[in-house]
Coordinates of all heavy atoms in Angstrom, one line a residue:
I1 N -25.1 -11.3 -33.0 CA -24.2 -10.9 -34.1 C -23.5 -9.6 -33.7 O -22.3 -9.5 -34.0 CB -25.1 -10.6 -35.3 CG1 -25.6 -11.9 -35.9 CG2 -24.3 -9.9 -36.4 CD1 -26.7 -11.8 -37.0
E2 N -24.1 -8.7 -33.0 CA -23.5 -7.4 -32.6 C -22.3 -7.7 -31.6 O -21.3 -7.1 -31.8 CB -24.5 -6.6 -31.9 CG -24.0 -5.2 -31.5 CD -24.9 -4.4 -30.7 OE1 -26.1 -4.7 -30.6 OE2 -24.5 -3.3 -30.1
A3 N -22.5 -8.7 -30.7 CA -21.5 -9.0 -29.7 C -20.2 -9.5 -30.4 O -19.1 -9.1 -30.1 CB -22.0 -10.0 -28.7
I4 N -20.4 -10.5 -31.3 CA -19.2 -11.1 -32.0 C -18.6 -10.1 -32.9 O -17.3 -10.1 -33.0 CB -19.6 -12.4 -32.7 CG1 -18.3 -13.3 -32.8 CG2 -20.3 -12.3 -34.0 CD1 -18.6 -14.8 -33.1
S5 N -19.4 -9.3 -33.6 CA -18.8 -8.3 -34.5 C -18.0 -7.2 -33.7 O -17.0 -6.8 -34.1 CB -19.9 -7.6 -35.3 OG -20.6 -8.5 -36.1
T6 N -18.5 -6.8 -32.6 CA -17.9 -5.7 -31.8 C -16.6 -6.2 -31.2 O -15.6 -5.5 -31.3 CB -18.9 -5.3 -30.6 OG1 -20.1 -4.9 -31.2 CG2 -18.3 -4.1 -29.9
V7 N -16.6 -7.4 -30.6 CA -15.3 -7.8 -29.9 C -14.2 -8.1 -30.9 O -13.0 -8.0 -30.6 CB -15.5 -9.0 -29.0 CG1 -16.4 -8.7 -27.8 CG2 -16.0 -10.3 -29.7
H8 N -14.6 -8.5 -32.1 CA -13.6 -8.8 -33.2 C -13.4 -7.6 -34.1 O -12.5 -7.6 -35.0 CB -13.9 -10.0 -34.0 CG -13.7 -11.3 -33.2 ND1 -12.4 -11.8 -33.0 CD2 -14.6 -12.1 -32.6 CE1 -12.6 -12.9 -32.3 NE2 -13.8 -13.1 -32.0
A9 N -14.2 -6.5 -33.9 CA -14.1 -5.3 -34.7 C -14.1 -5.7 -36.2 O -13.3 -5.2 -37.0 CB -12.9 -4.5 -34.3
T10 N -15.0 -6.6 -36.6 CA -15.0 -7.1 -38.0 C -16.5 -7.2 -38.4 O -17.4 -7.5 -37.6 CB -14.4 -8.5 -38.0 OG1 -13.2 -8.5 -37.4 CG2 -14.3 -9.0 -39.5
D11 N -16.7 -6.9 -39.7 CA -18.0 -7.1 -40.3 C -17.9 -8.5 -40.9 O -17.3 -8.6 -42.0 CB -18.4 -6.1 -41.3 CG -18.7 -4.7 -40.6 OD1 -19.2 -4.8 -39.5 OD2 -18.5 -3.7 -41.2
F12 N -18.5 -9.5 -40.3 CA -18.4 -10.9 -40.8 C -19.2 -11.1 -42.1 O -20.3 -10.6 -42.3 CB -18.8 -11.9 -39.7 CG -17.8 -12.0 -38.6 CD1 -18.1 -11.4 -37.4 CD2 -16.7 -12.7 -38.8 CE1 -17.2 -11.5 -36.3 CE2 -15.8 -12.9 -37.7 CZ -16.0 -12.2 -36.5
K13 N -18.6 -12.0 -43.0 CA -19.4 -12.4 -44.1 C -20.2 -13.7 -43.7 O -19.8 -14.3 -42.7 CB -18.4 -12.8 -45.3 CG -17.5 -11.7 -45.8 CD -16.8 -12.1 -47.0 CE -15.9 -11.0 -47.5 NZ -14.6 -10.9 -46.8
P14 N -21.2 -14.0 -44.5 CA -22.1 -15.1 -44.1 C -21.4 -16.4 -43.9 O -21.8 -17.3 -43.1 CB -23.1 -15.2 -45.2 CG -23.1 -13.9 -45.9 CD -21.7 -13.3 -45.7
D15 N -20.3 -16.6 -44.7 CA -19.6 -17.9 -44.6 C -18.5 -17.9 -43.5 O -17.7 -18.9 -43.3 CB -19.0 -18.3 -45.9 CG -18.0 -17.3 -46.5 OD1 -17.9 -16.2 -45.9 OD2 -17.3 -17.6 -47.5
E16 N -18.4 -16.8 -42.7 CA -17.4 -16.7 -41.7 C -17.9 -16.9 -40.3 O -17.2 -16.9 -39.3 CB -16.7 -15.3 -41.7 CG -15.8 -15.1 -43.0 CD -15.3 -13.7 -43.1 OE1 -15.8 -12.8 -42.4 OE2 -14.3 -13.6 -43.9
V17 N -19.3 -17.0 -40.2 CA -19.9 -17.3 -38.9 C -20.9 -18.5 -39.0 O -21.4 -18.8 -40.1 CB -20.6 -16.1 -38.3 CG1 -19.7 -15.1 -37.8 CG2 -21.7 -15.6 -39.2
E18 N -21.1 -19.1 -37.9 CA -22.1 -20.2 -37.8 C -23.1 -19.8 -36.7 O -22.7 -19.3 -35.7 CB -21.5 -21.5 -37.4 CG -20.5 -22.1 -38.3 CD -20.1 -23.5 -37.7 OE1 -19.3 -23.5 -36.8 OE2 -20.5 -24.5 -38.2
I19 N -24.4 -20.0 -37.0 CA -25.5 -19.6 -36.1 C -26.4 -20.8 -35.8 O -26.9 -21.4 -36.8 CB -26.3 -18.4 -36.5 CG1 -25.4 -17.2 -36.8 CG2 -27.4 -18.1 -35.5 CD1 -26.2 -15.9 -37.3
G20 N -26.5 -21.2 -34.6 CA -27.5 -22.3 -34.2 C -28.6 -21.6 -33.4 O -28.4 -20.7 -32.6
I21 N -29.8 -22.1 -33.6 CA -31.0 -21.5 -33.0 C -32.0 -22.5 -32.5 O -32.2 -23.6 -33.2 CB -31.6 -20.5 -34.0 CG1 -32.8 -19.7 -33.3 CG2 -32.1 -21.2 -35.2 CD1 -33.3 -18.6 -34.1
V22 N -32.6 -22.2 -31.4 CA -33.8 -23.0 -30.9 C -34.8 -21.9 -30.6 O -34.6 -21.0 -29.7 CB -33.5 -23.8 -29.6 CG1 -34.7 -24.6 -29.2 CG2 -32.3 -24.7 -29.8
S23 N -36.0 -22.0 -31.2 CA -37.0 -20.9 -31.0 C -38.4 -21.5 -31.1 O -38.7 -22.3 -32.0 CB -36.8 -19.8 -32.1 OG -37.9 -18.9 -31.9
D24 N -39.3 -21.1 -30.2 CA -40.7 -21.5 -30.4 C -41.5 -20.2 -30.5 O -42.7 -20.2 -30.2 CB -41.2 -22.4 -29.3 CG -41.0 -21.9 -27.9 OD1 -40.6 -20.7 -27.8 OD2 -41.3 -22.6 -26.9
G25 N -40.8 -19.2 -31.1 CA -41.5 -17.9 -31.4 C -42.4 -18.0 -32.6 O -42.2 -18.9 -33.5
D26 N -43.3 -17.1 -32.8 CA -44.2 -17.1 -34.0 C -43.4 -16.8 -35.3 O -43.8 -17.3 -36.3 CB -45.3 -16.0 -33.8 CG -46.2 -16.3 -32.6 OD1 -46.3 -17.5 -32.3 OD2 -46.7 -15.4 -32.1
E27 N -42.3 -16.1 -35.2 CA -41.5 -15.8 -36.4 C -40.8 -17.1 -37.0 O -40.4 -17.1 -38.1 CB -40.5 -14.7 -36.2 CG -41.1 -13.4 -35.7 CD -40.4 -12.9 -34.4 OE1 -39.2 -12.5 -34.5 OE2 -41.0 -13.0 -33.4

């Protein structure tokens, strides 16, 4: 999130980004 916000110098709203995840962490 920090990387995409920094390079575009924008605070994105939740409907302006998409996040895909693969995790086998406890959280």
Side-chain angles (χ1 to χ4, degrees):
I1 290 170
E2 183 185 348
I4 202 163
S5 301
T6 306
V7 295
H8 286 283
T10 311
D11 291 329
F12 287 101
K13 297 189 184 82
D15 58 353
E16 291 174 343
V17 289
E18 296 182 284
I19 301 178
I21 184 170
V22 183
S23 175
D24 55 8
D26 297 334
E27 302 128 72

